Amino acid sequence: MDNSTMVTEFLLLGSPDGWDLSYLYFTVFPMTYLGTLLGNLLIITVTTADQNLHTPMYFFLRNLSILDMCLISITVPNACVNSLTGNRAISVAGCATQTFLVIFCASVELLFLTIMAWDRFVAICQPLQYPLIMNPQFCVCMTLASLLSGLLYAGVHTGKTFQLSFCQSNVIHQFFCDVPSLLRLSCSDTTSNKVLIVVSAVVICVGCFLFIVMSYFRIFSAVLKFPIRAPGKAFSTCTPHILVVSVFISSGSGVYLRSSATSDTLEDMVLSAFYTMVPPFLNPLLYSLRNKQVKDAVRRVIQRQLFSGK
């Protein structure tokens, strides 16, 4: 320890040893990023401009789209620029900021997805009480509660991580700063950090996942009693949500709960890309292309713009 030098900056390793992933940073990453921005901007624009979509479901979908744009913007542009310039250095403060923002956006996204499952449950199983339960005040309060919870969650994990000493290697085997990669670099005792990750994952991630599963179980149980066409419509509405939640939770859990002793750099990078890039990219596709209300709203907005321009 006496002869070691404290780390003042980190180096983001864009590719595992022996792998050349530059094609990802010049093709897949930029295309995914551009598609995510355009798709989510479309949802934000349509759900804002069309009065028929001023409902709780689309209120949370609009918030989710804003969050998706933020989540993917934290990691992908920086990774692409680093690959292009060859400068992979990031300051400790910059790394802490990136870690905080990724955790904040990911945790709030999980909470939003949970609220959206509750919204679908109330809409399908308690339609007469839906306007009373999902009133505007409730929606705003749930949004603020999710944001504040995300700030607290991200602050605790980031603060706990950067209290550690980093005095060995400064090479992060990842394309962005995240807690598991930083824990592997620390020369301090990280036991309490790992316990915190497991406890928070059980309380928040497992709790949200079980809540979502219970909501959809009750939804599917209820729609099976409906007329013949109702189950298909309900399933088509809920399936995109289930798909996004499954990808998001499974890949995120794979990154944070894997043992560092069995960790594989390439697999870690793939899982990290899945939970930071795939849900933001999939959300606009699943919620727009499979949603008749959104497609009808897009047509109305386009027609309105065309007529107003004449």
Side-chain angles (χ1 to χ4, degrees):
M1 286 290 290
D2 293 335
N3 296 327
S4 62
T5 302
M6 298 301 294
V7 171
T8 57
E9 66 177 13
F10 295 102
L11 296 177
L12 296 171
L13 183 63
S15 304
D17 293 338
W19 291 80
D20 182 12
L21 302 183
S22 58
Y23 66 95
L24 289 177
Y25 298 107
F26 295 120
T27 55
V28 177
F29 276 37
M31 291 176 62
T32 302
Y33 181 63
L34 182 60
T36 300
L37 290 186
L38 293 176
N40 283 291
L41 277 174
L42 176 64
I43 288 181
I44 294 170
T45 302
V46 171
T47 55
T48 302
D50 194 282
Q51 293 291 329
N52 295 323
L53 299 185
H54 287 188
T55 63
M57 174 183 174
Y58 295 104
F59 170 78
F60 288 114
L61 180 58
R62 181 165 58 250
N63 290 339
L64 184 67
S65 293
I66 296 172
L67 196 67
D68 282 337
M69 292 172 64
C70 294
L71 177 58
I72 199 169
S73 296
I74 296 166
T75 59
V76 172
N78 185 65
C80 293
V81 171
N82 288 349
S83 180
L84 182 64
T85 62
N87 180 17
R88 303 190 180 278
I90 183 171
S91 66
V92 173
C95 189
T97 301
Q98 191 176 52
T99 302
F100 174 86
L101 291 175
V102 168
I103 298 175
F104 169 74
C105 289
S107 58
V108 175
E109 173 137 350
L110 178 59
L111 294 174
F112 279 171
L113 291 170
T114 305
I115 296 171
M116 291 173 71
W118 167 256
D119 173 81
R120 290 299 83 209
F121 163 74
V122 176
I124 293 174
C125 299
Q126 300 176 355
L128 298 180
Q129 298 181 359
Y130 183 79
L132 180 63
I133 296 174
M134 301 300 294
N135 58 75
Q137 292 79 12
F138 175 81
C139 295
V140 172
C141 288
M142 292 303 294
T143 300
L144 292 177
S146 299
L147 294 174
L148 291 175
S149 299
L151 286 173
L152 178 62
Y153 185 77
V156 169
H157 279 281
T158 305
K160 186 74 173 173
T161 300
F162 284 88
Q163 284 179 348
L164 301 172
S165 297
F166 300 97
C167 50
Q168 298 177 11
S169 172
N170 68 335
V171 178
I172 297 176
H173 294 268
Q174 189 59 272
F175 63 93
F176 65 94
C177 290
D178 67 345
V179 172
S181 299
L182 290 166
L183 294 184
R184 298 187 193 108
L185 301 183
S186 176
C187 51
S188 304
D189 182 9
T190 60
T191 302
S192 61
N193 297 75
K194 294 175 181 177
V195 170
L196 178 63
I197 289 176
V198 173
V199 171
S200 61
V202 171
V203 172
I204 298 179
C205 297
V206 175
C208 289
F209 180 73
L210 290 177
F211 185 89
I212 293 171
V213 169
M214 290 176 60
S215 298
Y216 281 118
F217 176 78
R218 297 179 67 179
I219 289 173
F220 294 153
S221 299
V223 298
L224 290 176
K225 304 174 184 177
F226 292 172
I228 188 65
R229 291 187 179 181
K233 183 178 180 181
F235 290 149
S236 66
T237 302
C238 299
T239 300
H241 194 187
I242 296 174
L243 177 61
V244 171
V245 169
S246 300
V247 171
F248 185 67
I249 293 181
S250 60
S251 56
S253 300
V255 172
Y256 279 83
L257 298 182
R258 294 178 70 211
S259 170
S260 59
T262 60
S263 177
D264 176 76
T265 302
L266 181 60
E267 189 172 343
D268 283 344
M269 293 182 66
V270 171
L271 289 173
S272 296
F274 261 83
Y275 89 87
T276 57
M277 295 173 58
V278 174
F281 179 74
L282 283 180
N283 280 335
L285 295 176
L286 296 175
Y287 287 111
S288 59
L289 296 179
R290 293 176 56 88
N291 190 308
K292 187 177 183 298
Q293 284 183 295
V294 173
K295 289 188 287 188
D296 291 342
V298 171
R299 283 193 290 267
R300 286 194 296 269
V301 171
I302 293 175
Q303 290 173 356
R304 193 181 308 138
Q305 293 297 319
L306 289 176
F307 284 121
S308 64
K310 291 183 178 180

